[in-house]
PDB file of all heavy atoms in Angstrom:
ATOM      1  N   GLY I  26     -48.418   0.293   7.974  1.00  0.00           N
ATOM      2  CA  GLY I  26     -49.747   0.023   7.425  1.00  0.00           C
ATOM      3  C   GLY I  26     -50.271  -1.334   7.821  1.00  0.00           C
ATOM      4  O   GLY I  26     -51.426  -1.482   8.257  1.00  0.00           O
ATOM      5  N   ALA I  66     -35.818   6.236  21.534  1.00  0.00           N
ATOM      6  CA  ALA I  66     -37.044   6.960  21.864  1.00  0.00           C
ATOM      7  C   ALA I  66     -38.280   6.177  21.434  1.00  0.00           C
ATOM      8  O   ALA I  66     -39.298   6.151  22.146  1.00  0.00           O
ATOM      9  CB  ALA I  66     -37.026   8.337  21.198  1.00  0.00           C
ATOM     10  N   GLY I 104     -23.877  -0.430  24.975  1.00  0.00           N
ATOM     11  CA  GLY I 104     -24.582  -1.160  26.020  1.00  0.00           C
ATOM     12  C   GLY I 104     -25.679  -0.361  26.691  1.00  0.00           C
ATOM     13  O   GLY I 104     -26.738  -0.903  27.036  1.00  0.00           O
ATOM     14  N   ALA I 105     -25.455   0.954  26.894  1.00  0.00           N
ATOM     15  CA  ALA I 105     -26.450   1.777  27.580  1.00  0.00           C
ATOM     16  C   ALA I 105     -27.753   1.843  26.801  1.00  0.00           C
ATOM     17  O   ALA I 105     -28.848   1.803  27.372  1.00  0.00           O
ATOM     18  CB  ALA I 105     -25.884   3.180  27.789  1.00  0.00           C
ATOM     19  N   GLY I 110     -33.829  -1.415  25.841  1.00  0.00           N
ATOM     20  CA  GLY I 110     -34.629  -2.518  25.315  1.00  0.00           C
ATOM     21  C   GLY I 110     -34.851  -3.600  26.354  1.00  0.00           C
ATOM     22  O   GLY I 110     -35.966  -4.130  26.502  1.00  0.00           O
ATOM     23  N   SER I 172      -0.789   1.987  -2.454  1.00  0.00           N
ATOM     24  CA  SER I 172       0.366   2.731  -1.942  1.00  0.00           C
ATOM     25  C   SER I 172       1.652   1.941  -2.144  1.00  0.00           C
ATOM     26  O   SER I 172       2.683   2.505  -2.525  1.00  0.00           O
ATOM     27  CB  SER I 172       0.155   3.030  -0.452  1.00  0.00           C
ATOM     28  OG  SER I 172       1.286   3.671   0.099  1.00  0.00           O
ATOM     29  N   ARG I 219      42.266   7.342 -36.043  1.00  0.00           N
ATOM     30  CA  ARG I 219      41.402   6.161 -36.095  1.00  0.00           C
ATOM     31  C   ARG I 219      41.289   5.480 -34.721  1.00  0.00           C
ATOM     32  O   ARG I 219      40.232   4.952 -34.373  1.00  0.00           O
ATOM     33  CB  ARG I 219      41.954   5.157 -37.116  1.00  0.00           C
ATOM     34  CG  ARG I 219      41.859   5.624 -38.560  1.00  0.00           C
ATOM     35  CD  ARG I 219      42.395   4.559 -39.509  1.00  0.00           C
ATOM     36  NE  ARG I 219      42.275   4.975 -40.886  1.00  0.00           N
ATOM     37  CZ  ARG I 219      41.179   4.830 -41.628  1.00  0.00           C
ATOM     38  NH1 ARG I 219      40.090   4.281 -41.073  1.00  0.00           N
ATOM     39  NH2 ARG I 219      41.147   5.227 -42.882  1.00  0.00           N
ATOM     40  N   GLN I 257      33.254  -8.013 -15.411  1.00  0.00           N
ATOM     41  CA  GLN I 257      33.350  -7.133 -16.571  1.00  0.00           C
ATOM     42  C   GLN I 257      34.172  -5.877 -16.294  1.00  0.00           C
ATOM     43  O   GLN I 257      34.157  -4.932 -17.077  1.00  0.00           O
ATOM     44  CB  GLN I 257      31.944  -6.733 -17.043  1.00  0.00           C
ATOM     45  CG  GLN I 257      31.087  -7.914 -17.484  1.00  0.00           C
ATOM     46  CD  GLN I 257      29.777  -7.470 -18.075  1.00  0.00           C
ATOM     47  OE1 GLN I 257      29.688  -6.424 -18.724  1.00  0.00           O
ATOM     48  NE2 GLN I 257      28.733  -8.272 -17.876  1.00  0.00           N
ATOM     49  N   VAL I 272      45.026   3.472 -15.492  1.00  0.00           N
ATOM     50  CA  VAL I 272      44.226   2.818 -14.454  1.00  0.00           C
ATOM     51  C   VAL I 272      44.899   1.509 -14.082  1.00  0.00           C
ATOM     52  O   VAL I 272      45.205   0.683 -14.950  1.00  0.00           O
ATOM     53  CB  VAL I 272      42.787   2.548 -14.941  1.00  0.00           C
ATOM     54  CG1 VAL I 272      41.963   1.917 -13.814  1.00  0.00           C
ATOM     55  CG2 VAL I 272      42.116   3.827 -15.417  1.00  0.00           C
ATOM     56  N   PRO I 282      31.899 -16.186  -5.727  1.00  0.00           N
ATOM     57  CA  PRO I 282      30.588 -15.795  -6.273  1.00  0.00           C
ATOM     58  C   PRO I 282      29.844 -14.888  -5.286  1.00  0.00           C
ATOM     59  O   PRO I 282      29.799 -15.159  -4.084  1.00  0.00           O
ATOM     60  CB  PRO I 282      29.861 -17.142  -6.435  1.00  0.00           C
ATOM     61  CG  PRO I 282      30.935 -18.168  -6.456  1.00  0.00           C
ATOM     62  CD  PRO I 282      32.026 -17.635  -5.579  1.00  0.00           C
ATOM     63  N   VAL I 330      42.408  16.603  -8.887  1.00  0.00           N
ATOM     64  CA  VAL I 330      41.876  17.619  -7.980  1.00  0.00           C
ATOM     65  C   VAL I 330      40.362  17.482  -7.979  1.00  0.00           C
ATOM     66  O   VAL I 330      39.717  17.543  -9.026  1.00  0.00           O
ATOM     67  CB  VAL I 330      42.276  19.038  -8.435  1.00  0.00           C
ATOM     68  CG1 VAL I 330      41.680  20.078  -7.500  1.00  0.00           C
ATOM     69  CG2 VAL I 330      43.788  19.161  -8.494  1.00  0.00           C
ATOM     70  N   GLY I 345      23.798   8.239  -5.710  1.00  0.00           N
ATOM     71  CA  GLY I 345      23.456   6.893  -6.158  1.00  0.00           C
ATOM     72  C   GLY I 345      24.366   5.840  -5.557  1.00  0.00           C
ATOM     73  O   GLY I 345      23.923   4.755  -5.171  1.00  0.00           O
TER      74      GLY I 345
END
Side-chain angles (χ1 to χ4, degrees):
S172 176
R219 292 181 178 275
Q257 299 186 34
V272 182
V330 178

